[in-house]
Amino acid sequence: MSGNSDDSANLNAAEHENGYDHDQDSLTVPLLSIQRSTPNNTSQVAIVGASICPIESLDYEIFENEFFKQDWRSREKIHIFQYIFMKWLLAFLIGLIVSLIGFCNNLAVENLAGVKFVVTSNMMLKGRYGIAFLVFSLSNLVLTLFASMITAFISPEAAGSGIPEVKAYLNGVDAPGIFSLRTLVVKVVGSVTAVSSSLLIGKAGPMVHTGACVASLLGQGGSRRYGLTWRWLRFFKNDRDRRDLVTCGAAAGIAASFRSPVGGVLFALEEMSSWWRSALLWRSFFSTAVVAIVLRALIDVCLSGKCGLFGTGGLIMFDVYSASISYHLVDVPPVLVLGVVGGILGSLYNFLLDKVLRLYNIINEKSAAYRIFLACSISIFTSCLLFGLPWLASCRACPSDASEACPTIGRSGNYKKFQCLPDQYNDLASLIFNTNDDAIRNLFSKNTDDEFHYSSMGVFFVTCFFLSIFSYGIVAPAGLFVPVIVTGASYGRFVGMLIGSHSNLNHGLYAVLGAASFLGGSMRMTVSLCVIILELTNNLLLLPLIMLVLLVSKTVADAFNGNIYDLIMKLKGFPYLETHAEPYMRQLTVGDVVTGPLQLFSGIEKVGNILHVLRNTKHNGFPVIDEPPISETPVLFGIILRAHLITLLKKKAFLSSPVRSNIDAFKQFSSVDFAKRGSGNGDRIEDIELTEEEKEMFIDLHPFTNASPYTVVETMSLAKALILFREVGLRHLLVIPKISGRSPVVGILTRHDFMPEHILSLHPLLEKSKWKRLRIRFPLLRKMF
């Protein structure tokens, strides 16, 4: 074996592993702690469900070894047809399954919450307000308790929205358990019960995670446990194809949440995916088209009255501006102000949510009991707030020209009776004592400029702003899309009420623009949000105003902090690679950050050496070099993966002497042997048992080594290497020397080596120059520091 062969070198080589940090003690140190003020040095561990988990990277590169070439050459046209057919079939199945789950989610939420509100309203009609509050609060508590318990004990990975996890996965970060079957079940059931419990959370984020789980499970390549071993299912046993399926699943999740097929595709393109191509655009659009068609058919069934309390509720579709609207140049300044303030409020929202999540994690990381107690405490506080605040609002007389029954009793509507007299309604209860979907519909509704009072709208905005911050982060599936829409719509409607007759726009339209401004300020998306809102409101005439308010709010908010999902990814510790390189990376070369010692394998390696290295290091990739007498001088042959080495040891493809094997080696294996298995199903080196005689034998690594790996010279700019690493979707990038005569390979760059925390820890002087440039660029920072 060439390179460092002593035991200490082999043990120390683990520090450069992609998936493990240089400091092994950091695996037990929480990423989020109240004392953490130094840069994050644990980029390779993440908090998933408030548990510290080592994570690994995904490899989207095609591993081109001799075995792969032989396997590809043997494929006939029928195999290529099967592969293409299965791609489109899985895209169809993703759309079909996600649409059915989305419909059932909304059906369950509307009926669970509807029964709760009907029973509570009946109690209030009889004047039994104490019993009504008890029924309301206890039902909310039971639903929250159930959601938090199944999440805490069955699948902590299902907590939160799931969008940060999916976004990190599409960037190349594989956190354990995020796409498992139990995560999918808990995500669906937990989201239904948590949203039904009147917590100010949404189901759009969990639907994105649900779609990604469905796509990942369909792309597992079958299951021996359940007898699904049809060979057509084996084409997708690699990270590259699974990435494409997960992208389709994320797009389908948004489409199922808002009935926005085009918005779903653009959301996946703009916010989620780090790699995109035209073929993926077609398949994701096909998936979302299936979602739209299936939901349209199911909604027609429900409109006939066969879905219980579902009726017109759920499946957010605010068709409130189908009539022509008119606006003029004089209406532009208020819209600009709406966008500026929305950007400021959105950045403030992100800042406060960041602080609350850090606080919650201190509680959540203690034990499951603390997590459940926190969720139940938030539920009780929310119930008290939702039931108590409407009592502060005064009753208002029902309008004579109301478009629906006034007051509304039990079911959803614009005119909630609450505690008022028969001919009166409580405007604050119409917003608070309702589902989030119905509250948005009430805010967006047209011809209701006199429906709400200033004080009621102001109280509702403040309540939504802070309650949504404190509700997110509990141990339950919870999304941010709907709470942000509710908060932004209330803010926009309040602005519309202040402007009053000085504008040609009605209050409902201001609510739509307010929701757009708050979404842009918090989530920092433009194109996808614009299309989603247009598909929600079903009116293309809103396009110029929505574009304007989104651009202004995003620009203003970007001056303060990042978008909400990037902040959450940073809190969780995901090593996410940004699209751009930091300026200081151009001052460094790859040789400045690559670390060692490096573990090398010879082209023909002794079995005992391979077993020793795999057991004492955690590398996932090893350079393979040829030395005399195979070659005249040491030369880099390629790179071999840890999983492939374990397969070779498991199959015992050994040689009695160190000679090159012939083509018969291919008869011992099939492509399935080297395909990537589903999550958590890979072979472990600890399970390999060999005799002393077998350890003295040899393995010819040449047929199984990627002979054309991506390499960079050690003097290449780190910024340029980062662009290559991210754009190609690599897991390992070999660094070769500039001057011949040295070792054929200097080191391996992994995702960890591009993390700013790692770079700045190696070169602390760059931290000072970084802040100096920022202070020159942003005058606000000069005042703060």
Side-chain angles (χ1 to χ4, degrees):
M1 181 174 64
S2 62
N4 300 308
S5 58
D6 59 294
D7 292 348
S8 61
N10 292 335
L11 291 172
N12 291 335
E15 69 177 2
H16 192 62
E17 159 59 13
N18 184 8
Y20 291 82
D21 191 61
H22 294 267
D23 182 7
Q24 294 298 321
D25 295 335
S26 65
L27 293 177
T28 61
V29 179
L31 286 180
L32 302 179
S33 65
I34 196 169
Q35 298 88 2
R36 190 172 107 190
S37 58
T38 58
N40 172 25
N41 293 320
T42 56
S43 299
Q44 299 302 294
V45 290
I47 290 184
V48 179
S51 300
I52 308 298
C53 299
I55 60 176
E56 295 186 355
S57 292
L58 300 168
D59 195 354
Y60 296 142
E61 179 194 6
I62 296 178
F63 203 79
E64 295 183 351
N65 53 24
E66 286 299 322
F67 186 82
F68 167 82
K69 294 177 182 178
Q70 290 290 336
D71 177 68
W72 181 254
R73 294 191 194 109
S74 65
R75 292 188 182 181
E76 301 176 357
K77 290 183 178 181
I78 184 63
H79 297 142
I80 299 176
F81 169 77
Q82 290 174 355
Y83 175 67
I84 297 175
F85 174 77
M86 286 302 300
K87 275 188 173 182
W88 287 97
L89 178 60
L90 290 180
F92 171 79
L93 291 177
I94 290 170
L96 177 64
I97 296 173
V98 172
S99 59
L100 292 175
I101 292 176
F103 176 78
C104 293
N105 274 8
N106 285 276
L107 189 67
V109 168
E110 288 293 322
N111 282 280
L112 279 175
V115 169
K116 175 184 64 181
F117 285 122
V118 167
V119 173
T120 304
S121 298
N122 290 337
M123 293 295 178
M124 296 186 72
L125 285 175
K126 298 177 182 178
R128 304 170 66 179
Y129 298 112
I131 300 298
F133 171 71
L134 191 62
V135 169
F136 180 71
S137 58
L138 281 181
S139 59
N140 289 340
L141 180 62
V142 170
L143 290 170
T144 304
L145 179 63
F146 177 78
S148 60
M149 288 185 66
I150 62 173
T151 305
F153 292 115
I154 299 178
S155 179
E157 298 84 3
S161 71
I163 290 181
E165 286 81 357
V166 178
K167 185 175 180 179
Y169 178 88
L170 294 178
N171 189 258
V173 179
D174 188 16
I178 59 173
F179 293 146
S180 64
L181 180 60
R182 71 173 188 275
T183 299
L184 172 62
V185 174
V186 172
K187 200 75 178 185
V188 173
V189 178
S191 176
V192 169
T193 52
V195 173
S196 302
S197 67
S198 292
L199 291 172
L200 197 59
I201 57 178
K203 50 186 181 289
M207 274 304 303
V208 173
H209 194 181
T210 298
C213 286
V214 170
S216 179
L217 291 172
L218 288 176
Q220 293 291 337
S223 172
R224 293 182 180 179
R225 178 186 301 178
Y226 301 106
L228 300 175
T229 56
W230 191 30
R231 66 175 183 170
W232 282 32
L233 296 173
R234 299 175 182 175
F235 287 112
F236 303 95
K237 284 181 171 291
N238 60 82
D239 292 333
R240 190 184 186 90
D241 286 318
R242 288 177 185 170
R243 173 195 66 189
D244 292 349
L245 292 175
V246 170
T247 304
C248 293
I254 285 292
S257 300
F258 299 114
R259 279 184 60 201
S260 175
V262 180
V265 175
L266 292 176
F267 175 81
L269 169 62
E270 182 179 5
E271 178 63 19
M272 303 299 293
S273 181
S274 296
W275 298 277
W276 199 268
R277 61 185 188 277
S278 58
L280 181 57
L281 178 68
W282 278 101
R283 282 199 299 277
S284 58
F285 184 72
F286 176 63
S287 295
T288 58
V290 172
V291 171
I293 294 172
V294 173
L295 288 182
R296 181 71 264 175
L298 293 174
I299 288 175
D300 288 340
V301 174
C302 281
L303 290 177
S304 62
K306 299 179 181 179
C307 298
L309 295 172
F310 187 66
T312 58
L315 280 178
I316 305 174
M317 184 62 183
F318 309 113
D319 188 8
V320 293
Y321 294 106
S322 55
S324 298
I325 58 174
S326 61
Y327 47 89
H328 307 284
L329 189 61
V330 69
D331 299 315
V332 174
V335 172
L336 289 175
V337 173
L338 198 70
V340 172
V341 178
I344 297 174
L345 289 175
S347 60
L348 177 62
Y349 185 89
N350 293 0
F351 173 79
L352 294 177
L353 184 60
D354 178 272
K355 300 301 180 185
V356 170
L357 290 179
R358 290 178 179 272
L359 175 63
Y360 278 8
N361 192 76
I362 298 174
I363 301 173
N364 289 336
E365 66 189 12
K366 293 182 181 297
S367 66
Y370 283 88
R371 304 178 199 175
I372 296 173
F373 177 77
L374 175 62
C376 292
S377 300
I378 296 298
S379 175
I380 295 173
F381 175 73
T382 301
S383 298
C384 294
L385 208 60
L386 298 185
F387 194 89
L389 284 178
W391 292 88
L392 303 177
S394 57
C395 295
R396 310 188 69 181
C398 289
S400 57
D401 58 345
S403 58
E404 58 183 73
C406 181
T408 305
I409 300 175
R411 297 198 174 208
S412 61
N414 278 38
Y415 307 99
K416 283 282 186 177
K417 182 177 182 298
F418 206 68
Q419 88 289 5
C420 298
L421 298 176
D423 294 329
Q424 298 177 337
Y425 72 97
N426 189 314
D427 61 339
L428 187 55
S430 300
L431 299 173
I432 286 185
F433 204 66
N434 224 331
T435 62
N436 293 331
D437 293 356
D438 291 327
I440 297 174
R441 186 174 292 103
N442 294 346
L443 290 168
F444 282 7
S445 59
K446 60 183 177 180
N447 301 325
T448 56
D449 287 3
D450 298 325
E451 180 179 340
F452 302 102
H453 194 269
Y454 293 96
S455 59
S456 298
M457 192 57 60
V459 169
F460 183 66
F461 165 68
V462 174
T463 301
C464 291
F465 187 89
F466 290 101
L467 201 57
S468 60
I469 291 175
F470 287 106
S471 299
Y472 188 84
I474 63 173
V475 59
L480 285 171
F481 252 104
V482 173
V484 170
I485 293 176
V486 175
T487 307
S490 59
Y491 147 70
R493 184 135 189 157
F494 184 74
V495 172
M497 295 169 65
L498 291 177
I499 296 176
S501 60
H502 300 289
S503 174
N504 297 306
L505 308 179
N506 63 61
H507 297 176
L509 180 53
Y510 271 105
V512 175
L513 296 177
S517 70
F518 203 69
L519 282 168
S522 176
M523 299 186 178
R524 313 294 163 80
M525 292 175 282
T526 52
V527 179
S528 57
L529 284 179
C530 183
V531 174
I532 288 173
I533 294 173
L534 288 177
E535 290 182 298
L536 285 180
T537 55
N538 197 28
N539 197 326
L540 196 60
L541 296 175
L542 299 177
L543 178 61
L545 293 179
I546 294 176
M547 290 175 63
L548 179 63
V549 77
L550 281 171
L551 288 171
V552 171
S553 61
K554 181 186 184 303
T555 303
V556 171
D558 281 339
F560 296 96
N561 50 31
N563 78 61
I564 188 62
Y565 297 124
D566 287 348
L567 291 177
I568 295 175
M569 278 196 301
K570 185 175 181 181
L571 288 176
K572 288 178 175 289
F574 291 128
Y576 185 85
L577 294 179
E578 299 289 349
T579 55
H580 62 277
E582 295 290 344
Y584 58 80
M585 291 186 180
R586 301 196 179 277
Q587 304 176 22
L588 300 173
T589 65
V590 294
D592 294 327
V593 298
V594 70
T595 56
L598 181 66
Q599 179 60 59
L600 305 173
F601 282 134
S602 294
I604 302 176
E605 189 60 83
K606 182 180 289 187
V607 172
N609 289 337
I610 297 177
L611 185 67
H612 174 79
V613 171
L614 294 182
R615 285 182 173 176
N616 290 281
T617 69
K618 297 298 182 180
H619 293 314
N620 276 301
F622 301 88
V624 176
I625 64 172
D626 281 335
E627 295 179 307
I630 298 179
S631 62
E632 296 181 359
T633 59
V635 61
L636 173 65
F637 182 79
I639 186 172
I640 190 168
L641 299 181
R642 180 185 189 88
H644 293 180
L645 289 172
I646 294 177
T647 300
L648 294 176
L649 293 177
K650 182 180 178 181
K651 292 284 186 176
K652 298 185 177 181
F654 303 152
L655 303 173
S656 57
S657 58
V659 294
R660 293 287 295 265
S661 62
N662 53 31
I663 198 65
D664 293 334
F666 296 104
K667 298 180 180 179
Q668 304 179 38
F669 301 95
S670 67
S671 59
V672 178
D673 296 323
F674 293 97
K676 184 172 182 178
R677 300 185 183 180
S679 302
N681 295 326
D683 294 320
R684 301 186 309 158
I685 189 60
E686 291 79 9
D687 300 330
I688 304 295
E689 295 294 337
L690 300 176
T691 64
E692 292 298 326
E693 182 180 356
E694 291 172 332
K695 292 180 182 179
E696 295 299 320
M697 300 180 73
F698 299 87
I699 298 181
D700 184 5
L701 302 180
H702 293 96
F704 313 100
T705 299
N706 182 4
S708 57
Y710 283 92
T711 61
V712 294
V713 68
E714 60 182 335
T715 55
M716 175 182 279
S717 163
L718 184 62
K720 187 179 292 187
L722 169 63
I723 301 302
L724 172 65
F725 192 93
R726 188 185 189 277
E727 292 299 323
V728 181
L730 301 177
R731 184 173 186 176
H732 307 99
L733 182 60
L734 296 181
V735 181
I736 59 177
K738 185 176 182 64
I739 303 174
S740 60
R742 298 169 52 189
S743 172
V745 59
V746 175
I748 300 180
L749 288 173
T750 61
R751 178 175 294 265
H752 171 68
D753 296 301
F754 295 103
M755 290 295 103
E757 297 84 1
H758 170 65
I759 298 171
L760 295 175
S761 67
L762 294 177
H763 306 278
L765 293 179
L766 291 175
E767 180 73 16
K768 297 180 180 179
S769 62
K770 172 186 174 183
W771 278 109
K772 183 177 180 181
R773 285 191 299 272
L774 287 174
R775 291 173 64 190
I776 294 174
R777 185 177 178 184
F778 298 104
L780 179 62
L781 291 176
R782 290 202 294 267
K783 299 177 181 179
M784 297 174 59
F785 299 94

